[in-house]
Amino acid sequence: MTWSSHSLHLWAHLGASVHPLTFSQDDLRARLEQARLLGIEGVVVPMLWRHVAPDLPGQVTEPAAWQGVMRLCHCIADAGLKVIPELHLAAAGMEHDRLLPDWLWGWAGEQLPAGAAAEQLKYRDRHGIDSNLAVSWWGEEQVAPLMAQWLHTFAEQLAPLAEVIPHLQLGVGPQGQWRYPALGGEPWPLFGRAGLDALTQGMLARYGSAADWQEAWQHGQPLASHAALREALLQPGEVARHDVATWLRHGLAAQGGRWLSQADTIFTGPWQQASLGVRLACHLDASASADYGEPKSWLRAALPASVARERLRIWLTGAGEGLRQVPQLALWQQACEAQGVATMVENVAPLPVDDHPRWEHLIESALYRGDGHGWVWRDLDSVTGGETVAARLRQLVRLRNARGQGELLRRKEFRVMGPLHLKVGNQRQVLSEQEWARFEEEVGVLRRLGVTAISTDIWWGLVEGRQAGCFDWSYYDRLVDLLERQQMRWVPILSFHQAGGNVNDDFTQTIPLWLWGTLLSRHPELASVRELQYVSETGDASMEYVSLWADEFVLPHYRAFMNAFREHYAPRAALMAEINISLGPAGELRYPSYNAHDWGNYPNRGTLQCYSELARADWRAYLEQRYQGIAALNYTFGTQFDGFAQIPLPTADSLFDNKAYLHSAWGRECLGWYHDALMAHGRRVMACALDVFSEEAWLSVPLGIKIPGIHWEISDPDQPRVAEITAGLLRPHPAMGPRNQREYVQLLDALVPAEQRARIVVHFTCLEMQNRPYEGYSQAADLVGWFAEAAHELGIRLMGENALAGELYDAAGWLQMEKALSGTPGFGGLTLLRMQHFFDEDHTPIEQLQRLINKFH
C-alpha cells in the first residue's frame, strides 16, 4: 500500500437545488461561504448543451445564451472557490431539464442520407426501446460538428475565468460517465438498424468474409440480414458473445478517446494549465466489466497518445458504496497509475450522514494510492446538514494535505464490547432468532455511527468445555458472519478466564471443568486442585483463572486453544482489528485481589493471592536464586534462617501494618517478587500468542492485552497505592505516594519487550472516571494520565476503556473520556462497555458516542 504524497483536492458538486440559470445569488452565496469554511476548494458545475442552446443549434454562439452560466461561475469565484465545469456531451440525468436538447434528434435526422431516420442515431435495446441519453458512437458523426462547436464556444466565452478553472470534466456518456446507457451487459444497446449495420461492418472487418463470420458464430444462416443478425444476438454462442462485447468496448473506448483528443486541441492558450477529465463508472461491478473489460488493457486503448498523461485526471465513481466496490476501485486506480494518470474518487449519490462505513470508504479510496488526487463529493446541498456533515468534511480536510499514514493514525478508533453472550438479552437466558436479529440491527446502527469493531469474549469453557481438543465454534461462526455482513470488524478476546463474579457480569461461564482433573492426572506432583488456583491471604481459592504459578502445566492448553482458533479463523484474519489475549481475571493482567469471592466491599486494599503451595515454593526458589546462599540472605535482612526451605511467606498484616510494604526491606522484597511473578506470566502468555500468530496471514493483526485502572487507595495517607500493589501492578518503593513516579513506565517496560512493541496494543480502563479523593481516595483521572505518559515514553500503542456502565449515562463521564482521547499524549481509541447500554430507553450513551466520534473523525 502506498500513500499520496501530494496535496489532495476536495471538490463538491453544485447540487440539484441550484439551477445554473435560475439560481438565487443570495442563497447560493451563503452556501458557498459555508462550504469554503468547511474546507471545500472547488465546485463542480454542470454545463449542459440544453441550457445554452435550448431551442436552436445556433443559440450556442450568442453571448446572451451564456449570461446565466457566467453569472453562476462568477458567484462561485467571488466566494473564493474554484470552478470545475462539467461539459456534458450526453444527458446529465434522467430529468427532462438534464437531457440533450429537444431539437437535436430532429436536426440530426435532416442531415442523414435519404431514407435514413433519426432513430438510427440512438442506442436501442433488444426490446426496441430507444435511449435519449446519448448519441450512439456509430451515428455520432452527424452531430459531432455541433458538439465540437459547443466546446469551442465554451472555451471562448469562459476564457476570462480560466485562471479559476483548474480542471475541465468531459461528460462523454449518460450522467457524465464513460459508458453505454444500459450500463453494460445485456440487452446490448445495438438493436437499431444503424447499430446492426455497424456491427456487421465490424465483424466483416474481423473475419474477412460473411462466410467465415457465419462459421465462427456457428449460425445456421447468413448473418448479413438484420433479421438473421438479431436472431443470433438474442441467443448468442460463446464466440458471438465475446465478439460483440469486445466490439462494444472498442467502440466506446474510441468514442471517448476522440473527445479527449479534440478537447486537448480546443482548450489551449489560457486553458493550458487546466487538466482534462472523464468519469468511469466503477459503482457497478457488472457494468464496469461489460463496458470496459480488463482495466489496464482498456485504458491503454482508450486514452489517446496525443494527450499528455499529466494533463489527464480520471474520476472514479463508486467510492462510498461499500466493501463490494473496494476491489473494483483498486483495480482502476492501479490501471490509471500504470498509465501515469491521476485519479479522483467520487461518490455516486449523496452519502447519508449517519452511514460511517460509506464515508470511510470514500475517505480511504483516495488515500491508499500514490496517484490519488482527492475527492469529488456529492453534494453542496448537504453542507447545511448539521454538525455530523461538518465533522465528516473536517475529517476530509484534515487528510487533504496528504500528511499520509501518520495523519490517518491520529484518527481515534471507536469499538464497542458485545454482550458476554447474546442469550443474556432474553430473560429466560435462552438464545433465539430474535436475539440474533436484534443484535444484527444494533451492530448496523453502531457501524453507521462510526464504530469500527465489536469485541467479543471467546469463552474457553464454551468452545472447549466438553473435553480437551473438542472445539465447538458454531456460536462464534454465526456471530462473525453477522459482523461481516454489517461491515464491522471483530476483536476476539481469547478468554481463558471465567465469566461471572465481576462487576456488571450478567452471564456465567466457567473455564473448562475437565481442566482441573486433567492437570492433576497428568502431573502427579500436584497434591490438589488448590495448587492450581490462586489462594488468598484469607485462605479462599479462586476458580476464575488458573494461577500463574501453574503456567507450566496450563500453558500447553492455552497454546492448543490458540492454535485451534488460528486454524479455524484463518480465512477471517483480515476481518480482525485485533486479537486480545486474556491474562487474568476479567481478562486483565492482575491477581483476583478485589473480586467478589474474597472480601469485596469496594473500596479496600484487596487481598494478596500468593498463598498456594506452588506460590510458596516459587517464593523460596526466587530467594535462593537471588541470594545464592542462605548466609547472604540472612546478612541482608538480619534474619537467622538455617535454609531456604524454612522461609515462610510473610503474612499480609505484617506487610501492610505501619506501611511495612514501603519501609521494610523484607516487605518490599516479598511484594517485588509478587509483582515480578505477574509480569513474567504476562510475558509468557504473550510470547506464546506471538509464536502462534506468527504466520504471514496474521502478522498484520495486532495482539492486545488489558491492564486495569485500579484507581482507589492511591492517596490513602495510611496505605498509599495499596490496591495497585495487592493486584500485582506496582512494585513498592519507599517514596511511593499519590503522585506519578514512573511506576507504570516500569510496569510496561517489564511487561512488553522492546522488540514486541510494534505488535502489542495495551488497553487501560477507567477512562470515564474523575478524581474523587473523598471516595476511597480515588485518583482515576490522574492515573489515566500517568499511564498515557508511560505508554508514550516507551512507544507502546494504547487504547482506552471505561470501567463501569453508570458513567455512560452522565455527560461528565463522556467529557472525561474526551479529555483522555485529546490529551498529549493521549489514547488512540476507545472500547466501550457494553453494547446493550447504547440501546436503553435513556439515549444519552448513544448520543454522546455519536458526538465523540464526530469530534475525532
Side-chain angles (χ1 to χ4, degrees):
M1 177 171 61
T2 58
W3 294 82
S4 298
S5 58
H6 43 253
S7 291
L8 298 174
H9 298 293
L10 174 54
W11 299 337
H13 282 267
L14 184 62
S17 67
V18 180
H19 193 285
L21 304 181
T22 61
F23 69 95
S24 165
Q25 283 197 333
D26 290 340
D27 290 345
L28 182 58
R29 282 197 194 99
R31 195 174 304 173
L32 293 172
E33 176 64 17
Q34 189 171 0
R36 187 182 63 79
L37 291 174
L38 288 172
I40 292 170
E41 299 171 282
V43 177
V44 180
V45 181
M47 300 287 174
L48 278 71
W49 195 1
R50 182 187 191 90
H51 289 168
V52 293
D55 305 314
L56 297 168
Q59 285 179 300
V60 76
T61 62
E62 298 173 4
W66 294 89
Q67 287 181 357
V69 169
M70 292 292 289
R71 190 167 65 98
L72 176 59
C73 292
H74 276 293
C75 187
I76 295 169
D78 290 345
L81 296 165
K82 301 292 185 183
V83 179
I84 316 297
E86 183 167 9
L87 298 109
H88 287 276
L89 300 172
M94 298 293 292
E95 302 87 353
H96 182 264
D97 191 52
R98 298 176 69 81
L99 296 174
L100 288 164
D102 290 337
W103 51 261
L104 177 65
W105 307 106
W107 182 92
E110 294 296 321
Q111 312 306 309
L112 290 173
E119 60 86 13
Q120 293 184 34
L121 302 178
K122 298 180 180 179
Y123 292 111
R124 174 176 284 186
D125 68 17
R126 67 167 67 190
H127 305 293
I129 299 174
D130 292 334
S131 171
N132 290 324
L133 300 181
V135 177
S136 67
W137 56 260
W138 45 81
E140 191 178 70
E141 182 180 358
Q142 306 300 324
V143 296
L146 282 183
M147 291 180 172
Q149 183 187 44
W150 145 235
L151 297 182
H152 273 290
T153 310
F154 172 90
E156 294 169 1
Q157 293 292 328
L158 271 77
L161 284 169
E163 63 180 10
V164 297
I165 299 178
H167 178 77
L168 295 159
Q169 184 74 0
L170 294 182
V172 296
Q175 295 179 301
Q177 299 164 1
W178 193 346
R179 63 170 174 84
Y180 288 106
L183 280 173
E186 291 187 16
W188 289 319
L190 51 68
F191 285 88
R193 291 166 56 190
L196 296 174
D197 289 341
L199 177 63
T200 298
Q201 294 174 16
M203 292 303 101
L204 289 174
R206 170 173 172 73
Y207 288 106
S209 70
D212 289 342
W213 174 23
Q214 180 183 346
E215 181 181 356
W217 281 26
Q218 297 181 344
H219 198 65
Q221 54 182 309
L223 297 167
S225 72
H226 288 171
L229 184 51
R230 270 185 63 87
E231 181 183 337
L233 293 174
L234 291 174
Q235 294 182 324
E238 184 176 345
V239 174
R241 189 183 299 277
H242 175 269
D243 283 350
V244 175
T246 302
W247 176 78
L248 285 168
R249 289 169 189 162
H250 288 171
L252 185 71
Q255 180 190 33
R258 283 194 300 272
W259 284 114
L260 274 174
S261 182
Q262 189 158 159
D264 188 49
T265 63
I266 292 172
F267 292 100
T268 56
W271 298 101
Q272 198 61 50
Q273 299 307 310
S275 55
L276 298 175
V278 286
R279 178 186 287 108
L280 296 178
C282 300
H283 57 298
L284 294 176
D285 295 348
S287 78
S289 174
D291 282 359
Y292 308 132
E294 196 279 322
K296 288 185 179 180
S297 60
W298 190 84
L299 277 178
R300 280 196 299 268
L303 299 180
S306 61
V307 182
R309 293 299 182 261
E310 58 269 20
R311 194 180 190 191
L312 295 176
R313 184 171 294 173
I314 292 180
W315 294 4
L316 301 175
T317 189
E321 291 302 293
L323 293 178
R324 185 168 58 89
Q325 277 66 43
V326 171
Q328 193 67 25
L329 274 174
L331 285 174
W332 282 102
Q333 286 172 316
Q334 292 164 9
C336 291
E337 185 175 358
Q339 286 286 310
V341 176
T343 59
M344 295 188 69
V345 296
E346 177 187 49
N347 48 310
V348 178
L351 300 181
V353 295
D354 63 346
D355 196 332
H356 189 86
R358 293 175 66 179
W359 280 89
E360 199 170 71
H361 181 215
L362 170 69
I363 289 166
E364 296 180 356
S365 293
L367 290 174
Y368 285 143
R369 301 305 314 166
D371 274 345
H373 274 61
W375 303 273
V376 184
W377 174 63
R378 295 181 186 268
D379 53 33
L380 208 61
D381 286 344
S382 303
V383 296
T384 57
E387 178 54 32
T388 303
V389 173
R392 305 292 192 200
L393 291 176
R394 282 196 295 268
Q395 182 182 8
L396 286 172
V397 172
R398 285 199 303 271
L399 297 168
R400 191 180 66 197
N401 293 327
R403 288 186 290 274
Q405 187 172 6
E407 174 65 26
L408 193 62
L409 289 176
R410 279 192 284 273
R411 292 163 53 191
K412 306 301 182 181
E413 186 173 1
F414 291 89
R415 304 172 180 172
V416 171
M417 181 169 282
L420 293 174
H421 194 284
L422 284 186
K423 73 179 184 180
V424 301
N426 187 316
Q427 290 184 352
R428 296 182 297 112
Q429 297 278 292
V430 176
L431 185 60
S432 70
E433 291 302 316
Q434 184 178 356
E435 272 69 55
W436 283 110
R438 182 171 60 224
F439 179 65
E440 181 158 15
E441 181 182 351
E442 291 174 352
V443 168
V445 169
L446 292 174
R447 187 67 188 98
R448 289 191 294 276
L449 244 62
V451 173
T452 56
I454 298 293
S455 61
T456 60
D457 290 280
I458 298 188
W459 300 111
W460 184 18
L462 186 65
V463 174
E464 199 184 0
R466 286 181 295 172
Q467 64 184 71
C470 183
F471 302 95
D472 180 3
W473 303 103
S474 56
Y475 170 80
Y476 297 103
D477 287 346
R478 184 167 182 181
L479 187 145
V480 174
D481 287 341
L482 184 154
L483 295 179
E484 191 166 37
R485 282 197 303 273
Q486 294 298 327
Q487 302 177 34
M488 184 74 83
R489 301 195 75 191
W490 184 34
V491 178
I493 305 170
L494 303 189
S495 298
F496 299 114
H497 60 282
Q498 171 182 302
N502 287 293
V503 178
N504 291 333
D505 281 0
D506 52 9
F507 172 71
T508 299
Q509 174 62 62
T510 64
I511 62 177
L513 294 178
W514 53 258
L515 180 69
W516 310 109
T518 297
L519 293 180
L520 288 178
S521 174
R522 293 180 181 178
H523 302 282
E525 66 271 29
L526 296 172
S528 72
V529 168
R530 281 175 65 89
E531 293 192 39
L532 297 167
Q533 298 170 341
Y534 287 116
V535 177
S536 81
E537 63 189 69
T538 68
D540 187 86
S542 170
M543 295 182 63
E544 289 186 58
Y545 189 85
V546 178
S547 162
L548 63 84
W549 288 288
D551 274 356
E552 66 175 295
F553 309 119
V554 74
L555 201 56
H557 292 279
Y558 293 162
R559 179 181 287 273
F561 187 79
M562 292 184 204
N563 281 333
F565 173 87
R566 180 196 63 201
E567 296 307 313
H568 187 79
Y569 287 110
R572 303 295 184 89
L575 187 69
M576 298 180 201
E578 177 189 311
I579 300 171
N580 199 282
I581 310 296
S582 164
L583 297 179
E588 300 169 336
L589 180 71
R590 64 174 175 87
Y591 293 103
S593 58
Y594 57 86
N595 287 28
H597 75 279
D598 198 17
W599 275 23
N601 298 322
Y602 160 90
N604 56 46
R605 72 164 170 84
T607 54
L608 292 176
Q609 300 289 315
C610 53
Y611 292 91
S612 68
E613 289 306 312
L614 288 180
R616 295 174 191 274
D618 186 64
W619 160 243
R620 292 189 289 267
Y622 161 81
L623 292 174
E624 187 170 5
Q625 182 179 15
R626 178 169 169 77
Y627 292 97
Q628 299 299 307
I630 194 67
L633 181 142
N634 285 330
Y635 177 80
T636 301
F637 296 105
T639 53
Q640 297 181 355
F641 295 115
D642 294 331
F644 288 100
Q646 291 184 349
I647 302 175
L649 260 172
T651 64
D653 288 342
S654 71
L655 291 172
F656 293 112
D657 286 351
N658 301 314
K659 297 185 181 179
Y661 68 101
L662 301 182
H663 303 312
S664 159
W666 187 241
R668 293 196 303 274
E669 188 75 44
C670 179
L671 293 171
W673 157 78
Y674 184 74
H675 165 79
D676 290 347
L678 185 65
M679 296 303 104
H681 163 72
R683 289 195 301 272
R684 282 192 295 270
V685 178
M686 286 309 300
C688 177
L690 286 163
D691 183 55
V692 169
F693 297 104
S694 61
E695 296 176 357
E696 185 175 354
W698 295 96
L699 288 177
S700 61
V701 182
L703 299 181
I705 57 176
K706 186 193 295 187
I707 295 176
I710 299 178
H711 54 89
W712 59 97
E713 298 294 322
I714 287 179
S715 58
D716 187 336
D718 297 325
Q719 295 184 324
R721 315 299 292 273
V722 69
E724 296 159 277
I725 289 169
T726 57
L729 298 186
L730 300 189
R731 171 189 284 273
H733 58 85
M736 182 171 272
R739 62 191 183 280
N740 182 21
Q741 298 184 67
R742 303 181 75 250
E743 290 92 349
Y744 283 97
V745 174
Q746 179 197 37
L747 180 154
L748 289 173
D749 196 34
L751 178 63
V752 187
E755 65 273 12
Q756 296 177 2
R757 290 172 190 169
R759 184 91 187 271
I760 302 297
V761 180
V762 174
H763 296 249
F764 191 69
T765 65
C766 80
L767 261 69
E768 83 282 17
M769 294 185 173
Q770 304 174 52
N771 287 342
R772 290 176 179 166
Y774 53 85
E775 185 180 298
Y777 301 102
S778 169
Q779 286 184 225
D782 290 343
L783 184 63
V784 166
W786 300 343
F787 201 91
E789 290 172 8
H792 179 72
E793 180 176 330
L794 297 174
I796 292 174
R797 292 172 58 190
L798 184 60
M799 291 280 289
E801 189 174 290
N802 62 307
L804 300 173
E807 298 290 346
L808 297 179
Y809 297 88
D810 186 349
W814 287 94
L815 290 174
Q816 198 65 30
M817 289 188 281
E818 180 181 334
K819 181 179 178 181
L821 290 173
S822 57
T824 305
F827 287 70
L830 192 61
T831 300
L832 292 150
L833 280 61
R834 302 187 173 264
M835 189 166 163
Q836 55 263 40
H837 300 299
F838 294 97
F839 298 95
D840 281 349
E841 291 182 3
D842 187 337
H843 294 166
T844 300
I846 200 162
E847 289 172 354
Q848 289 289 337
L849 175 60
Q850 178 68 88
R851 183 191 66 80
L852 206 58
I853 290 173
N854 287 346
K855 179 176 177 61
F856 289 103
H857 281 78

